[in-house]
Amino acid sequence: MSGEPIEAVKNGVQMMIHSLRQNPQAIETAYVSIITFNSSAQQIIPLTDLASFQMVDIKASGVTAMGAALQLLADKLQTEVIKTSPEQKGDWKPLVFIMTDGIPTDDWKPGYSKLKIANKGLIVGCAAGSSADDAVLKQITNSVVRLDNADAEGISRFFQWVTASISTTSTKVEESGKEVSGLEQLPPPPSELVIIS
């Protein structure tokens, strides 16, 4: 991903943070982390509350090390998400969005195996553009959407939906204590997004 699409991702993240900061329930409950992957995977923003979130530059180039990203995600879910114990109330289950415009260029299955053990929340895969492989995403999660046109408008609409999904999840857990477990419990996606599974 480069050029207009990566600029649209940066703008989408900034719009998402700005919008979530206007939601009193989201600002109390939502934390955001960003992991990027190309020839390697990097957590460019650790799990951070909305008030403290500081945007950094997102760069994308090279190949698609999705396996490394899944492994890093699993590691961070285990170390950064607080589990409930007799002594403390833990975090709500995480809501993870994986956006890719390519085909994994590393062995993604070991990272996926680790993620299956670590993740107890909802993972939503987004295949962005015609070169994205939704078949791999469907093996990672039962919740996959496709964005056929990964231009600035399409990516902007994707992030609007992500924002609405986080807001809905924050409200639901605060009001009912029930957590979102499937794509059908999130707001309807915009017409640019096609539900694959």
Side-chain angles (χ1 to χ4, degrees):
M1 185 177 286
S2 60
E4 180 187 356
I6 195 65
E7 292 302 318
V9 168
K10 294 176 192 174
N11 292 335
V13 171
Q14 290 176 327
M15 178 275 305
M16 177 183 74
I17 297 299
H18 176 75
S19 295
L20 290 174
R21 283 176 173 161
Q22 311 307 310
N23 179 329
Q25 289 168 322
I27 204 161
E28 291 293 324
T29 59
Y31 284 63
V32 177
S33 173
I34 298 177
I35 292 174
T36 62
F37 54 103
N38 43 49
S39 57
S40 64
Q42 295 181 326
Q43 184 186 40
I44 60 171
I45 298 179
L47 198 59
T48 304
D49 65 274
L50 290 173
S52 304
F53 187 95
Q54 295 286 319
M55 187 64 186
V56 299
D57 194 22
I58 297 175
K59 296 178 181 170
S61 61
V63 294
T64 307
M66 185 180 288
L70 296 177
Q71 183 149 341
L72 181 58
L73 173 60
D75 291 343
K76 298 305 178 185
L77 288 172
Q78 289 183 320
T79 59
E80 294 183 350
V81 176
I82 300 170
K83 295 174 179 61
T84 297
S85 69
E87 295 80 31
Q88 68 176 351
K89 180 182 177 303
D91 293 326
W92 298 109
K93 293 178 181 176
L95 179 58
V96 176
F97 292 89
I98 300 173
M99 183 180 209
T100 181
D101 68 345
I103 298 169
T105 52
D106 63 353
D107 183 1
W108 59 273
K109 290 184 178 175
Y112 170 59
S113 295
K114 196 169 180 181
L115 181 60
K116 280 197 307 188
I117 296 168
N119 183 54
K120 306 299 180 206
L122 174 62
I123 296 176
V124 178
C126 177
S130 59
S131 298
D133 183 359
D134 57 32
V136 170
L137 289 175
K138 285 192 283 189
Q139 294 178 66
I140 295 169
T141 176
N142 292 326
S143 302
V144 179
V145 296
R146 171 170 278 288
L147 180 62
D148 286 327
N149 192 0
D151 61 6
E153 178 63 25
I155 290 172
S156 173
R157 300 279 292 170
F158 170 75
F159 276 99
Q160 289 172 17
W161 178 65
V162 170
T163 304
S165 297
I166 294 170
S167 292
T168 296
T169 301
S170 297
T171 301
K172 187 171 183 174
V173 296
E174 282 296 306
E175 291 178 353
S176 69
K178 294 182 180 175
E179 300 183 58
V180 173
S181 59
L183 200 57
E184 70 283 354
Q185 295 171 307
L186 298 178
S191 59
E192 289 84 354
L193 285 174
V194 177
I195 296 175
I196 303 296
S197 62

